[in-house]
């Protein structure tokens, strides 16, 4: 078998509840499903989501998933100045 054969990378965007398409119950459901199947994923977390959902943010890390930075507001970076990008990421 080749290295990586039969593997799938799971990624999820954790965005603030004000974003369209947000489902309040989805993060908990996703984490529960991953836990039941002993699966790991990468969660790209928006800073303001982490502030709104500190318990779930901690659970993502505690459950052994990878955390990726989706900046604070997930602003379109091409429309920001260098200072704007720096502020959104920090």
């Amino acid at each position: 078998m080749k290295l990586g054969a039969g593997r799938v990378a799971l990624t999820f965007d954790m965005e603030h509840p004000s974003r369209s398409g947000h489902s309040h119950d989805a993060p908990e459901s996703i984490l529960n499903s991953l836990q039941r199947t002993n699966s790991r994923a990468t969660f790209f977390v928006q800073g303001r989501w982490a502030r709104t959902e500190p318990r779930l943010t901690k659970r993502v890390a505690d459950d052994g998933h990878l955390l990726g930075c989706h900046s604070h507001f997930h602003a379109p970076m091409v429309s920001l100045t260098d200072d704007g990008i720096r502020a959104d990421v920090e």
Side-chain angles (χ1 to χ4, degrees):
M1 178 163 57
K2 292 181 188 177
L3 182 63
R7 293 181 182 212
V8 174
L10 299 172
T11 64
F12 299 95
D13 288 354
M14 308 310 274
E15 296 193 2
H16 192 265
S18 66
R19 300 288 281 214
S20 63
H22 174 79
S23 168
H24 182 73
D25 298 331
E28 192 88 42
S29 178
I30 290 166
L31 288 167
N32 290 341
S33 294
L34 292 169
Q35 188 174 51
R36 274 193 307 277
T37 60
N38 197 31
S39 300
R40 298 292 172 266
T42 301
F43 289 82
F44 289 94
V45 176
Q46 195 182 77
R48 59 191 192 143
W49 181 84
R51 285 189 177 172
T52 303
E53 299 288 352
R55 182 189 63 76
L56 285 173
T57 304
K58 183 174 180 342
R59 180 174 172 199
V60 168
D62 288 349
D63 284 2
H65 304 290
L66 294 177
L67 284 168
C69 177
H70 236 339
S71 73
H72 187 73
F73 292 103
H74 200 271
M77 298 296 180
V78 296
S79 66
L80 298 177
T81 64
D82 289 348
D83 288 340
I85 291 171
R86 193 173 296 107
D88 196 29
V89 173
E90 288 176 353

